[in-house]
Amino acid sequence: MSFSLIPIRGLPLIEKGDNLGELLIERLSDCDVQLQDLDVVVVAQKIVSKAEGRQVQLDSVEPSDEAIRLADETEKDPRLVELILRESTEVVRTKPGVLISRHRLGHVGAHAGIDQSNIDHGSGDSCLLLPVDPDASARRLQETLSRTTGKNIGVIISDSANRPWRLGTVGIAIGAANVCVLDDRRGGQDLFERELKVTLVNVADSIATAATLVMGETTERVPAVVVRGVAAPPGIEDASAINRPIEEDLFR
């Protein structure tokens, strides 16, 4: 199997209320990219959050006593910490410079996915929260793209994440539509007919990471990529299914 990564360049800076599906269709046409059946369009979380109005001015945030305490402990802005607490179900770890939490969507990571990079701070310090429901966001994009092009395509909303004991960020899927997110190989056999007991292939995160190589992390301005040639099997399509259940969390 071979696959290709096709960047979608030239998208304008996204603002609240923008129709991302229509903007992507316009840019695909301008870039002379024709979507094909089984293509997966990977879209950066940041532009989805911007379009959905998830940018928050820090001046509008009143920190709680708990946020002030954790801000002192982690050396962070108490207003930012307050937003992290609002977006999280629990604080997992803290130390100076670090605040790890379990996001309400189930992700465990730094700052509840809240980001302050590559957003306009012209009206004062602000930050960008994750979409309220990334799977629903992916479904809306997928419906627009498939309806307009007449092609059977998938959509993944990607974000950057770190992993325990590994340096550097990778792409992960926080939203998905019409894409198998997990390929369950349990019960199958390996080359020597040994039964597979735990093999669960994370298809969506693998696609998101591949796309991140083209998107970049700083000034590349490639917030969307067409991934072509990945033959994903049928299966669970919601990215929320990727999160490991709390009762299986070995690090609690």
Side-chain angles (χ1 to χ4, degrees):
M1 180 182 74
S2 63
F3 70 97
S4 57
L5 304 170
I6 306 168
I8 303 176
R9 303 184 187 275
L11 278 168
L13 293 176
I14 302 301
E15 298 181 356
K16 180 180 178 180
D18 282 347
N19 188 317
L20 276 184
E22 292 181 358
L23 290 173
L24 287 169
I25 291 293
E26 290 176 6
R27 291 312 306 158
L28 285 165
S29 176
D30 291 343
C31 296
D32 198 26
V33 176
Q34 304 294 322
L35 289 181
Q36 300 178 7
D37 285 334
L38 304 183
D39 281 351
V40 179
V41 179
V42 182
V43 182
Q45 162 268 321
K46 187 158 291 182
I47 64 171
V48 177
S49 290
K50 286 181 177 180
E52 295 182 357
R54 298 290 284 162
Q55 188 164 337
V56 178
Q57 297 293 129
L58 289 183
D59 284 346
S60 70
V61 179
E62 183 68 31
S64 62
D65 291 343
E66 177 67 3
I68 293 171
R69 183 188 69 80
L70 283 172
D72 183 63
E73 185 178 320
T74 58
E75 301 173 354
K76 295 186 178 298
D77 188 321
R79 301 168 299 176
L80 175 61
V81 174
E82 175 62 27
L83 288 174
I84 293 170
L85 292 177
R86 293 179 189 179
E87 288 289 289
S88 303
T89 58
E90 76 172 299
V91 174
V92 178
R93 292 286 186 275
T94 62
K95 72 173 189 176
V98 176
L99 200 167
I100 306 296
S101 71
R102 186 180 300 276
H103 191 274
R104 57 180 174 74
L105 294 171
H107 317 302
V108 176
H111 304 165
I114 297 173
D115 197 357
Q116 291 185 282
S117 64
N118 285 327
I119 58 176
D120 186 2
H121 296 275
S123 300
D125 287 345
S126 63
C127 59
L128 200 62
L129 313 185
L130 296 183
V132 172
D133 186 344
D135 280 323
S137 302
R139 285 193 293 272
R140 287 192 293 270
L141 281 173
Q142 192 275 335
E143 288 166 1
T144 297
L145 294 173
S146 288
R147 182 178 63 251
T148 304
T149 64
K151 301 298 182 181
N152 178 26
I153 58 99
V155 168
I156 286 175
I157 295 175
S158 69
D159 195 9
S160 298
N162 289 289
R163 301 147 299 158
W165 303 296
R166 303 285 288 183
L167 294 175
T169 61
V170 296
I172 63 170
I174 65 169
N178 202 34
V179 178
C180 170
V181 298
L182 295 171
D183 181 10
D184 192 347
R185 301 292 183 90
R186 292 172 295 187
Q189 294 181 331
D190 67 10
L191 291 174
F192 299 95
E193 299 185 352
R194 188 170 186 269
E195 184 180 356
L196 302 174
K197 300 289 188 180
V198 296
T199 305
L200 194 62
V201 180
N202 192 321
V203 177
D205 280 357
S206 298
I207 294 173
T209 290
T212 299
L213 293 173
V214 176
M215 288 180 176
E217 295 283 356
T218 54
T219 61
E220 292 82 359
R221 294 192 67 173
V222 181
V225 173
V226 177
V227 180
R228 178 167 295 162
V230 177
I236 298 171
E237 295 182 0
D238 286 345
S240 59
I242 296 172
N243 297 315
R244 187 179 296 279
I246 292 179
E247 59 270 19
E248 296 180 13
D249 186 343
L250 301 178
F251 307 106
R252 291 176 62 81

